[in-house]
Amino acid sequence: MNPQKILQKKYGWIVLLILFALLILLSAQLHTRIDLTKEKRYSLSTSTKQLLNQLKGDVEIKVLLSGKLSAGFRKLKNSTSELLENFRSYSNGHLHFTFIQPGEGLSDSLKMQLYDSLVHMGIKPFNNQLQESDDAQTERIIFPAAIVEYNGKLIPVDLMSGKSGMDEESTLNYSEALLEFKFDDAIQKLTTKQFPVVAYAVGNGEPLNPTVNDLFTTLSNNYRFGIFDLKNGILNADTIKALMIVKPQTAFTEDEKIKIDQYIMQGGNVLWFIDRLYAEFDSLLRAKSDFVAFDKGLNIDDQLFKYGVRINPDLLQDLNSAKQPLVVGNMGGQPQIQRIPFPYYPLLTAPENHPISRNLDQVLSIFPSSIDTVEAKGIKKTVLLATDTTSRKLGTPAIVSLRSIRTEGDLQTFTDSKVPVVVLLEGKFKSLYANRFDKAMQDSVEKLTGVPFMSQGEKVATQIVASDADIVTNVVTQSNGPLPMGTQQFENYQFANKEFLLNCLDYLVGNRGIIETRNKEFTLRLLDKTKVKDNKTFWQFINIALPIVIILIFGIILQWYRKKTYTNI
């Protein structure tokens, strides 16, 4: 089709105009883009597309990131806008988003009230520094977050993610990598009609006090959550999708172990957060001297061993640890208190590439033990969290001391590396009681569990075993009450304990496709700031003047070609 011939005909220009309009309409209906980035930065996962295609109602997203922003936050804003634009194209018109600046146009008093309400929702403020010129700098409070709404329900989404010690540029790049997962997770939770049941086992001294305040709140907000009496209740894997066993203090009876065992054989999922040894910081302060951490005798070693792990009777230390306020001296009759790294509080990281712990900040642990994986046929084992590269194990008798590192020689004993603390087990488990029960015993087990005895799991089950229960508990202070999970007293920082717990539960009972989006990783390709500054004028010329020069050259060549053509005619 030659446009020049069409124009020569009567009403040809009308035909071209109609064709152009049809082309625009067609392009609006067809959505396609080519992602040439190595890490597929601009591509949505299959699970995200399915989630958006299945939307039945409108999802409204308000992104609280607008106005004057530093270069890094402008980039985060643009990335969020591009992602949500991509989301909208797969939502069949059900997803809408806007960018707003919180408090714009309000008086100072109303603005502060709004800010307080955002903080109360869990949206964190950020003091953004703007570089107006080489010498001038201004500051503005911003809220790098979004509010996702569906059917009158709201979920805040923190756009910021990062790891302790990261600079702002790396943090913002890291945040971009998790945007898809965070919005997926929020939309999934808002649109899910039936939440899976997560049970918290009691009957063996598990805490029901303020130390599990944040745990209970977190579970209640995200799942159908209830307390389960292990002594009197019956575990049914079709009803209870996950069972949490947190910090038991007394030994499990054989009946209780059989209930857990047969629940796993049914395909039930279990999260074990176990302190094998008794070691508490409060006890250390009360004793005012060293003490021996003793074995609680929980009577579950054989059961965990059968499933593929062993929690050792030791205490782990690491030089990469959280800080505790300790008395370091005395001046004028007054104790001198200083916050120093406390090696019994190792900061855990992910040694393997698994979606539960990938792209996760450090997780705070308190008096953990080491875990060994053992042979269990057909069971896949993955270490989710481990210590750093400067660790050591204090074997039995494990002596707890405020001053466990006294000399240079003590430092040289931290020779262990990446010691497992949390392990994931997946597969069809074999019962601890296989080949141990006769027919009469099997009948009694059926009365106890409500299902016929199974010596081998019929369905794939998942277990997560942690050798530290305090990963999911919280500190309680006299002044502030229960602190958020993963927060130390006097430390203005929250580690990723809660995020880790939610990732574990999402993997066990949620949409695994969505949690797989945590695997996204963006390569940070930074410019050399010195070269940019030195060659600023040159690159300005390349970006501004060069395109103009190219157009002029093209115009000259085209004019010359036309003259030559028509001259020959």
Side-chain angles (χ1 to χ4, degrees):
M1 184 181 295
N2 192 329
Q4 189 173 3
K5 291 183 178 180
I6 293 175
L7 283 173
Q8 290 174 354
K9 295 180 180 179
K10 189 178 182 180
Y11 304 119
W13 63 274
I14 297 178
V15 175
L16 280 180
L17 189 62
I18 293 172
L19 289 173
F20 184 68
L22 289 173
L23 183 62
I24 292 174
L25 288 172
L26 185 63
S27 64
Q29 296 298 319
L30 296 176
H31 176 82
T32 184
R33 65 192 302 177
I34 300 174
D35 188 350
L36 299 178
T37 58
K38 183 179 179 181
E39 63 270 29
K40 298 302 177 184
R41 179 185 290 249
Y42 304 106
S43 299
L44 297 182
S45 67
T46 302
S47 58
T48 300
K49 294 174 184 177
Q50 290 175 348
L51 176 67
L52 296 170
N53 279 321
Q54 293 168 1
L55 289 177
K56 302 301 181 184
D58 288 348
V59 174
E60 300 287 344
I61 301 177
K62 293 181 180 178
V63 185
L64 313 180
L65 201 58
S66 189
K68 287 187 176 181
L69 301 167
S70 63
F73 280 100
R74 284 200 305 272
K75 185 172 180 291
L76 179 62
K77 175 188 174 182
N78 293 337
S79 297
T80 305
S81 178
E82 290 173 357
L83 176 74
L84 294 179
E85 189 66 51
N86 212 358
F87 269 41
R88 181 163 59 186
S89 65
Y90 287 100
S91 69
N92 300 316
H94 287 302
L95 188 138
H96 315 278
F97 67 93
T98 55
F99 283 78
I100 62 174
Q101 183 178 335
E104 185 177 20
L106 297 180
S107 64
D108 290 343
S109 59
L110 290 176
K111 188 181 292 185
M112 292 310 298
Q113 290 180 26
L114 175 62
Y115 287 0
D116 287 342
S117 66
L118 291 175
V119 172
H120 185 70
M121 287 178 64
I123 297 175
K124 301 174 185 177
F126 190 90
N127 195 18
N128 187 213
Q129 296 183 346
L130 296 169
Q131 193 74 36
E132 301 286 356
S133 62
D134 290 341
D135 300 322
Q137 211 176 52
T138 59
E139 294 183 353
R140 184 170 77 87
I141 294 177
I142 63 172
F143 291 86
I147 298 175
V148 184
E149 181 179 0
Y150 180 81
N151 281 351
K153 296 184 294 182
L154 303 174
I155 286 185
V157 174
D158 188 358
L159 303 183
M160 294 290 288
S161 304
K163 298 180 180 179
S164 55
M166 273 187 172
D167 58 29
E168 182 178 315
E169 196 165 18
S170 298
T171 298
L172 290 169
N173 185 77
Y174 184 81
S175 301
E176 287 183 48
L178 289 177
L179 285 177
E180 182 181 348
F181 165 72
K182 289 189 173 185
F183 282 109
D184 277 0
D185 187 54
I187 295 171
Q188 169 79 13
K189 285 182 168 61
L190 286 171
T191 56
T192 297
K193 295 180 180 178
Q194 183 100 18
F195 288 95
V197 175
V198 176
Y200 180 89
V202 296
N204 297 87
E206 292 85 356
L208 290 169
N209 54 32
T211 61
V212 288
N213 178 77
D214 198 10
L215 172 62
F216 281 15
T217 302
T218 300
L219 293 177
S220 299
N221 290 340
N222 293 276
Y223 302 95
R224 292 168 63 200
F225 170 65
I227 306 296
F228 181 81
D229 186 347
L230 195 55
K231 294 185 182 301
N232 301 312
I234 293 178
L235 284 168
N236 188 318
D238 292 331
T239 304
I240 298 173
K241 298 304 180 182
L243 177 70
M244 289 194 69
I245 301 173
V246 179
K247 207 168 189 173
Q249 302 295 324
T250 59
F252 287 77
T253 65
E254 288 303 314
D255 283 355
E256 292 168 338
K257 291 168 65 175
I258 289 170
K259 287 182 179 180
I260 297 171
D261 178 84
Q262 290 301 291
Y263 170 71
I264 295 169
M265 297 308 109
Q266 297 172 44
N269 305 300
V270 182
L271 295 97
W272 306 80
F273 289 92
I274 306 296
D275 288 340
R276 174 165 180 171
L277 301 184
Y278 180 86
E280 302 287 342
F281 187 73
D282 289 345
S283 301
L284 187 60
L285 293 181
R286 284 196 299 269
K288 296 182 180 179
S289 63
D290 302 350
F291 73 90
V292 177
F294 59 87
D295 197 312
K296 292 180 180 178
L298 297 176
N299 190 32
I300 54 173
D301 294 348
D302 57 344
Q303 191 163 11
L304 294 177
F305 190 90
K306 184 71 175 181
Y307 300 149
V309 293
R310 175 177 55 225
I311 299 178
N312 297 311
D314 58 24
L315 288 179
L316 271 178
Q317 289 187 318
D318 198 286
L319 297 181
N320 179 25
S321 55
K323 296 178 180 179
Q324 272 285 53
L326 299 175
V327 177
V328 295
N330 194 294
M331 182 176 293
Q334 297 294 324
Q336 301 297 303
I337 299 177
Q338 184 178 343
R339 288 167 44 248
I340 60 175
F342 194 55
Y344 293 103
Y345 286 17
L347 298 178
L348 309 177
T349 54
E352 297 185 35
N353 184 20
H354 192 276
I356 290 178
S357 48
R358 182 175 171 80
N359 286 332
L360 197 69
D361 194 5
Q362 294 174 321
V363 172
L364 172 66
S365 64
I366 298 176
F367 292 111
S369 299
S370 66
I371 290 183
D372 290 335
T373 57
V374 295
E375 178 64 27
K377 189 176 180 180
I379 303 303
K380 180 183 177 182
K381 310 173 191 73
T382 307
V383 178
L384 296 179
L385 292 177
T387 59
D388 207 337
T389 56
T390 50
S391 309
R392 72 173 178 181
K393 303 172 188 175
L394 302 178
T396 305
I399 299 175
V400 181
S401 171
L402 284 173
R403 298 289 181 187
S404 60
I405 304 176
R406 301 177 186 273
T407 65
E408 187 71 28
D410 290 335
L411 288 173
Q412 294 175 359
T413 62
F414 285 78
T415 55
D416 292 319
S417 178
K418 306 295 182 185
V419 181
V421 175
V422 183
V423 177
L424 169 69
L425 307 173
E426 300 173 281
K428 294 182 179 179
F429 293 89
K430 189 173 183 179
S431 172
L432 172 66
Y433 302 96
N435 304 320
R436 289 170 57 176
F437 290 162
D438 57 20
K439 184 65 171 65
M441 284 293 295
Q442 291 181 15
D443 291 341
S444 66
V445 168
E446 184 173 352
K447 292 179 182 179
L448 183 68
T449 62
V451 293
F453 174 76
M454 289 181 282
S455 60
Q456 176 73 44
E458 295 181 352
K459 299 178 182 178
V460 172
T462 306
Q463 299 186 63
I464 293 176
V465 182
S467 62
D468 175 27
D470 291 310
I471 288 175
V472 295
T473 63
N474 56 259
V475 175
V476 182
T477 67
Q478 291 183 348
S479 56
N480 298 316
L483 299 180
M485 191 187 303
T487 304
Q488 268 295 91
Q489 190 176 7
F490 308 116
E491 289 278 345
N492 187 26
Y493 190 81
Q494 184 176 357
F495 292 97
N497 296 47
K498 184 185 295 187
E499 190 177 354
F500 173 72
L501 170 64
L502 288 172
N503 289 349
C504 289
L505 286 167
D506 284 346
Y507 186 81
L508 264 61
V509 301
N511 187 333
R512 289 195 179 182
I514 287 178
I515 200 172
E516 290 285 350
T517 60
R518 289 188 57 85
N519 278 343
K520 244 182 185 179
E521 186 172 4
F522 292 173
T523 304
L524 192 60
R525 299 174 177 90
L526 300 176
L527 296 175
D528 189 319
K529 293 182 179 180
T530 304
K531 289 184 177 180
V532 169
K533 187 176 180 181
D534 293 342
N535 301 313
K536 182 178 179 181
T537 304
F538 171 75
W539 289 111
Q540 283 178 335
F541 171 80
I542 292 294
N543 285 292
I544 298 172
L546 186 59
I548 298 174
V549 171
I550 292 173
I551 291 172
L552 290 174
I553 293 173
F554 179 76
I556 292 169
I557 293 173
L558 181 62
Q559 187 66 21
W560 170 81
Y561 176 77
R562 290 180 64 187
K563 283 184 177 180
K564 181 180 178 183
T565 302
Y566 288 117
T567 300
N568 292 335
I569 292 173

